[in-house]
């Protein structure tokens, strides 16, 4: 079939196998180059660092989770297990990008002699946890690092079977702000109605720390975490402009819950001298973030400002910096007053935020976005689905089942 991009309300319905492979190969090449030798103190070589050797990534097929897997495997020859929720391809339907990424990643990792496995299924379910336990027992023995990088719109409670939905809404009052679609560069006004109390509670159930805690409890009970194992979950704070829909909205409540869970988990992990952290990462285009209202407009301005200052990073660069200079540098892990690791440090710099705010004030409803990099945001969005690579012939008839 000829695979073309189809995007509906910032959600891509198709993915390109060759482009997804290229996306993964490009990230691997960047990691390998820096891991071997680097003069850049922000992205140092991994030689001599004590990085974890056996890594479990929950949500490791796209975005920050995929980058975590790539940095572990190709930055430090780690064996990895991914857990993700995918649609497989058929003769006339493409797979999810996560499926293509995973196939590409695992082929390349195995070629390098690394162990690389996936459990495709619902990470919230007990069956998936059991399947992962079997994989660890058979293949890796124990795990040194568990990355929690799930972004999901729903969760079925594994005990009661009740389904919970996460929503991206403000709490209390409706929120009206400027927004932009990825496909058109016209700025428009968007109003998001406030969540009900039930929706707040449901979002916390899905995106809070409950499932992260269940995973760690489960792995501890089964003795599948190695001595001094670490677990890290990813969070976001962002600027005041997006507070109503993000940090002070439903998702922010869930992230607060996730962040509070880190302390409880660290207490539990004391038994093995382990540690739980939350890392606050930068706003980046992923399948999850593109659908948050207002956020694409913020990202377009942020990308432009950070690129002008030479500070723009992709998911892989963020995770590489997190691992090599913060989590496994050999020094004490740097945290803020709330115990969180801050790899969003460059995004949140006051000069960056002041400039984004200045440019935000220039935007006008019904007009094209000005002084932003919507093209860059759109390009990244295309690439995470395997589109927009100049040297791939997208008019070619290909089999969507072959990566
Ligand atoms: P993403 O959509 O690229 O990745 C989500 C991953 O979760 C995928 O691998 C997907 O398959 C998996 N997943 C979703 N539901 C699942 C389920 N039920 N069972 C198994 N796997 C499932 O998202 P992302 O942006 O990389 O987000 C990952 C984490 O990073 C989230 O916690 C997010 O809040 C956080 N974060 C994102 C940003 C950002 O700007 N993108 C910034 C900071 C923090």
């Amino acid at each position: 079939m000829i695979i073309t991009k189809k995007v509906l309300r910032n959600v891509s319905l198709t993915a390109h196998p060759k482009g997804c492979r290229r996306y993964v190969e490009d990230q691997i090449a960047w990691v390998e180059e820096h891991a071997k030798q680097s003069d850049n103190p922000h992205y140092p070589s991994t030689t001599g660092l004590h990085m974890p050797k056996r890594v479990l990534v929950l949500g490791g097929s796209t975005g920050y989770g995929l980058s975590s897997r790539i940095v572990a495997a190709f930055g430090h020859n780690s064996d990895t297990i991914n857990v993700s929720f995918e649609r497989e391809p058929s003769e006339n339907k493409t797979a999810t990008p996560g499926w293509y990424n995973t196939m590409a990643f695992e082929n390349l990792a195995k070629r390098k002699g690394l162990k690389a496995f996936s459990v495709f299924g619902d990470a919230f379910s007990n069956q998936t946890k059991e399947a992962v336990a079997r994989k660890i027992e058979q293949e890796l023995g124990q795990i040194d690092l568990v990355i929690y990088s799930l972004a999901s719109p729903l969760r079925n409670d594994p005990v009661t079977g009740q389904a919970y939905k996460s929503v991206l809404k403000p709490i209390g009052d409706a929120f009206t702000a400027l927004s932009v679609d990825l496909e058109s560069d016209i700025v428009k006004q968007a109003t998001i109605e406030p969540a009900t109390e039930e929706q707040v509670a449901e979002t916390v159930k899905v995106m809070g720390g409950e499932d992260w805690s269940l995973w760690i409890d489960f792995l501890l009970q089964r003795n599948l975490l190695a001595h001094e194992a670490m677990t890290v979950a990813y969070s976001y704070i962002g600027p005041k402009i997006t507070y109503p829909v993000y940090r002070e909205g439903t998702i922010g409540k869930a992230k607060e819950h996730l962040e509070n869970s880190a302390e409880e988990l660290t207490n539990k992990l004391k038994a093995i001298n382990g540690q739980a952290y939350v890392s606050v990462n930068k706003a980046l285009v992923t399948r999850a973030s593109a659908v948050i209202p207002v956020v694409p407009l913020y990202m377009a301005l942020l990308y432009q400002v950070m690129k002008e200052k030479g500070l723009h990073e992709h998911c892989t660069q963020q995770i590489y910096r997190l691992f090599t200079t913060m989590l496994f540098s050999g020094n004490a892990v740097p945290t803020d007053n709330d115990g969180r690791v801050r790899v969003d440090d460059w995004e949140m710099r006051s000069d960056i935020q002041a400039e984004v705010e200045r440019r935000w004030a220039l935007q006008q409803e019904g007009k094209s976005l000005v002084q932003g990099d919507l093209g860059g945001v759109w390009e990244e969005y295309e690439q995470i689905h395997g589109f927009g690579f100049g040297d791939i012939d997208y008019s070619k008839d290909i089999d969507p089942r072959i990566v």
Side-chain angles (χ1 to χ4, degrees):
M1 78 190 264
I2 293 166
I3 303 174
T4 51
K5 61 179 177 239
K6 289 196 191 98
V7 179
L8 187 67
R9 284 186 226 104
N10 288 359
V11 176
S12 177
L13 306 176
T14 53
H16 199 281
K18 289 206 165 27
C20 287
R21 190 177 73 208
R22 165 61 52 80
Y23 176 77
V24 171
E25 285 169 348
D26 284 356
Q27 293 192 69
I28 290 175
W30 187 91
V31 168
E32 284 190 320
E33 187 196 321
H34 288 78
K36 218 185 297 162
Q37 207 221 328
S38 164
D39 299 329
N40 187 334
H42 300 304
Y43 310 111
S45 158
T46 55
T47 310
L49 295 185
H50 292 285
M51 283 175 46
K53 291 300 284 180
R54 297 161 298 179
V55 180
L56 169 64
V57 187
L58 305 165
S61 67
T62 56
Y64 276 116
L66 172 65
S67 291
S68 306
R69 202 178 183 202
I70 289 175
V71 171
F74 291 90
H76 196 63
N77 293 330
S78 305
D79 297 325
T80 55
I81 298 178
N82 156 57
V83 179
S84 63
F85 199 67
E86 310 299 347
R87 183 186 67 231
E88 293 197 8
S90 61
E91 202 178 331
N92 48 20
K93 200 159 184 206
T94 67
T96 47
W99 191 87
Y100 291 131
N101 292 342
T102 302
M103 295 303 133
F105 170 91
E106 293 186 358
N107 280 338
L108 292 164
K110 283 174 185 156
R111 224 186 276 167
K112 206 179 147 113
L114 304 175
K115 290 186 177 181
F117 306 98
S118 278
V119 173
F120 291 139
D122 178 9
F124 300 125
S125 75
N126 290 337
Q127 290 101 299
T128 299
K129 291 183 173 76
E130 288 292 345
V132 170
R134 281 196 295 278
K135 214 50 189 175
I136 300 172
E137 279 159 5
Q138 285 161 9
E139 302 290 347
L140 306 185
Q142 285 185 315
I143 292 293
D144 304 298
L145 173 67
V146 180
I147 294 290
Y148 193 83
S149 188
L150 297 176
S152 177
L154 56 101
R155 171 175 174 226
N156 288 320
D157 187 291
V159 178
T160 62
Q162 195 177 334
Y164 297 101
K165 275 190 189 159
S166 75
V167 294
L168 291 156
K169 289 188 169 188
I171 297 174
D173 299 317
F175 173 57
T176 299
L178 295 177
S179 193
V180 69
D181 269 345
L182 285 178
E183 279 170 296
S184 79
D185 74 342
I186 303 298
V187 174
K188 53 186 186 189
Q189 200 76 263
T191 297
I192 317 164
E193 292 305 320
T196 61
E197 267 177 40
E198 204 174 25
Q199 286 176 320
V200 178
E202 289 205 19
T203 306
V204 172
K205 269 275 183 193
V206 181
M207 289 295 289
E210 189 176 278
D211 179 63
W212 183 27
S213 301
L214 288 176
W215 268 102
I216 299 305
D217 286 345
F218 174 79
L219 296 170
L220 271 173
Q221 273 161 18
R222 299 291 178 96
N223 195 25
L224 294 174
L225 294 181
H227 184 65
E228 296 187 347
M230 186 189 280
T231 182
V232 184
Y234 297 144
S235 188
Y236 184 64
I237 296 176
K240 289 214 168 67
I241 322 168
T242 63
Y243 270 14
V245 66
Y246 199 95
R247 195 64 200 188
E248 290 170 353
T250 49
I251 185 74
K253 280 277 167 279
K255 289 299 186 192
E256 250 170 58
H257 187 274
L258 182 86
E259 290 165 19
N260 292 338
S261 305
E263 204 180 320
E264 280 169 37
L265 287 179
T266 290
N267 283 333
K268 290 181 184 172
L269 288 166
K270 279 196 178 127
I272 56 162
N273 216 12
Q275 183 78 41
Y277 288 107
V278 160
S279 168
V280 182
N281 300 351
K282 176 195 183 202
L284 275 173
V285 184
T286 64
R287 280 165 67 78
S289 66
V291 294
I292 307 177
V294 185
V295 166
L297 173 55
Y298 168 68
M299 284 195 293
L301 300 179
L302 179 75
Y303 273 35
Q304 182 67 32
V305 172
M306 292 190 82
K307 281 178 182 176
E308 285 170 14
K309 292 193 186 271
L311 293 174
H312 181 66
E313 293 175 302
H314 300 289
C315 286
T316 297
Q317 291 161 321
Q318 274 269 291
I319 299 300
Y320 192 93
R321 192 157 64 87
L322 172 69
F323 280 24
T324 57
T325 70
M326 297 181 181
L327 295 178
F328 308 111
S329 69
N331 300 319
V333 175
T335 59
D336 65 13
N337 291 339
D338 295 313
R340 301 171 297 205
V341 184
R342 302 296 298 263
V343 75
D344 66 340
D345 48 354
W346 296 352
E347 170 182 356
M348 298 315 291
R349 260 173 45 172
S350 54
D351 58 330
I352 300 279
Q353 285 302 321
E355 186 54 22
V356 170
E357 271 178 38
R358 189 189 70 76
R359 292 180 191 206
W360 191 285
L362 303 177
Q363 309 308 321
Q364 285 181 20
E365 199 183 348
K367 299 263 171 68
S368 289
L369 181 96
V370 291
Q371 296 188 21
D373 183 28
L374 200 60
V377 172
W378 178 236
E379 184 188 37
E380 267 184 42
Y381 188 74
E382 283 194 305
Q383 291 189 347
I384 62 175
H385 296 93
F387 296 106
F389 289 96
D391 54 346
I392 292 179
D393 181 359
Y394 291 100
S395 64
K396 223 171 167 181
D397 201 343
I398 60 162
D399 187 334
R401 293 165 299 186
I402 299 170
V403 184

